[in-house]
Amino acid sequence: MLVSAKEMLQKAVAGHYAVGQFNINNLEWTKAILLTAQECNSPVILGVSEGAGKYMAGYKTIVGMVNGMLEELNITVPVALHLDHGSYDACYKCIEAGFSSIMFDGSHYAIEENVAKTKELVKVCAEKGISLEAEVGSIGGEEDGVIGMGECADPNECKMIADLGIDFLAAGIGNIHGKYPANWAGLSFETLAAIQEKTGDLPLVLHGGTGIPDDMIKKAIDLGVAKINVNTECQLVFAEATRQYIEAGKDQQGKGFDPRKLLAPGTEAIKAKVKEKMEIFGSIGRA
Ligand code: 13P
């Protein structure tokens, strides 16, 4: 059964480790992440962006697929199904579809509107036992070929949102989605420490986990980060393994064109990547 991410992240803060949010894109992705979490006895969060939700034929389809896998694959570790960077409308759609966790990304609104909308969702989620992530200070990334450098959130605004009763907070600390550019300045630990000072034990979320050096990840965990989002890195290893399979001509040997064979190397690569991240985050054996 899907669970809210609230308890798993509170445990992570207390135990000084982080739980990975791995974004899913299809059945292979989902199965690879769930099997790895079970094998590693680790809690896990499956992230679904609005785009991935559309691609996978809607939120209800995803809830059906994930619930089916939990049962058929005997997954007993805590699993949360989480909307990633949700708009106000998407949050309500996912709550209705059966997600166990949502992120409302109001970072592009003025702080007053972010507060008002987040406050409303705190109430709705609490009634249903669904965990809620909010965001302050937008996280950079590539848009139309231009890489926007991540903002640093205002710690006072973080406190305003934290005090509404959310379960965990994503705050920009110079992190960005996708690959980091060569001239990236690194995470702002000064900002992170200032935010932690204002928000206390509230679990903090680090987006843009792809390409952040391990020592920075460890330092972020020391400063209260309890959830780390990874998406691009799994896509890169999947593509690389699939390319090697095709370039070696394996799809042209025997029944190598069978999707169950063609997609297997990429799926195995995702498993290895997820395991590697769980080791760095310290979530292995914490289920
Ligand atoms: P990356 O794609 O950079 O790993 O970021 C993932 C993420 O933060 C999803 O919200």
Side-chain angles (χ1 to χ4, degrees):
M1 203 183 73
L2 288 168
V3 296
S4 133
K6 179 180 178 163
E7 196 189 326
M8 65 169 94
L9 295 183
Q10 284 177 345
K11 273 165 92 176
V13 169
H16 303 289
Y17 60 94
V19 177
Q21 172 193 304
F22 300 97
N23 285 54
I24 58 173
N25 291 288
N26 61 16
L27 181 142
E28 281 74 16
W29 239 263
T30 313
K31 190 172 157 191
I33 296 163
L34 290 178
L35 287 175
T36 307
Q38 186 67 25
E39 183 196 311
C40 294
N41 196 30
S42 168
V44 76
I45 299 167
L46 302 176
V48 178
S49 66
E50 288 190 43
K54 254 189 213 147
Y55 177 79
M56 288 185 275
Y59 302 124
K60 288 183 187 158
T61 311
I62 298 167
V63 169
M65 174 178 73
V66 173
N67 277 329
M69 281 193 198
L70 294 184
E71 191 182 327
E72 302 269 3
L73 299 174
N74 296 313
I75 305 295
T76 55
V77 296
V79 177
L81 180 59
H82 181 77
L83 170 66
D84 190 27
H85 292 284
S87 63
Y88 181 78
D89 289 347
C91 285
Y92 279 97
K93 282 192 184 137
C94 286
I95 292 168
E96 201 200 311
F99 275 51
S100 65
S101 188
I102 57 169
M103 173 186 191
F104 168 60
D105 181 354
S107 63
H108 50 284
Y109 292 119
I111 186 69
E112 295 76 19
E113 189 162 4
N114 192 359
V115 166
K117 288 196 161 67
T118 302
K119 192 172 172 184
E120 180 191 313
L121 283 159
V122 164
K123 195 162 168 276
V124 176
C125 289
E127 277 165 12
K128 299 193 181 279
I130 292 171
S131 47
L132 175 65
E133 174 177 347
E135 177 170 328
V136 178
S138 79
I139 289 149
E142 192 178 323
E143 236 172 314
D144 298 331
V146 179
I147 300 178
M149 291 298 177
E151 280 178 26
C152 279
D154 174 344
N156 290 318
E157 291 187 359
C158 289
K159 183 165 168 51
M160 281 168 79
I161 296 278
D163 286 349
L164 299 174
I166 58 162
D167 298 300
F168 32 104
L169 177 71
I173 54 165
N175 44 331
I176 61 174
H177 293 120
K179 289 185 186 172
Y180 285 86
N183 62 348
W184 179 50
L187 296 177
S188 169
F189 291 110
E190 213 181 14
T191 308
L192 182 56
I195 293 167
Q196 195 201 22
E197 207 191 321
K198 300 261 181 197
T199 57
D201 286 340
L202 185 73
L204 300 174
V205 183
L206 183 61
H207 281 249
T210 295
I212 298 179
D214 295 356
D215 58 325
M216 285 195 200
I217 293 279
K218 297 227 161 85
K219 197 165 170 189
I221 294 172
D222 284 344
L223 288 168
V225 164
K227 172 175 179 279
I228 302 175
N229 294 4
V230 178
N231 183 18
T232 307
E233 231 169 305
C234 289
Q235 299 187 0
L236 290 169
V237 294
F238 180 88
E240 170 69 23
T242 309
R243 176 152 39 80
Q244 278 177 15
Y245 180 91
I246 303 259
E247 281 180 356
K250 291 191 182 159
D251 60 312
Q252 292 168 329
Q253 295 163 16
K255 289 220 171 177
F257 56 84
D258 178 338
R260 285 176 251 161
K261 293 198 169 71
L262 178 66
L263 300 178
T267 306
E268 287 307 312
I270 294 172
K271 282 188 188 164
K273 180 54 77 182
V274 169
K275 188 171 178 183
E276 176 194 313
K277 292 293 171 191
M278 287 177 166
E279 274 163 7
I280 298 164
F281 300 167
S283 71
I284 292 186
R286 304 285 193 159

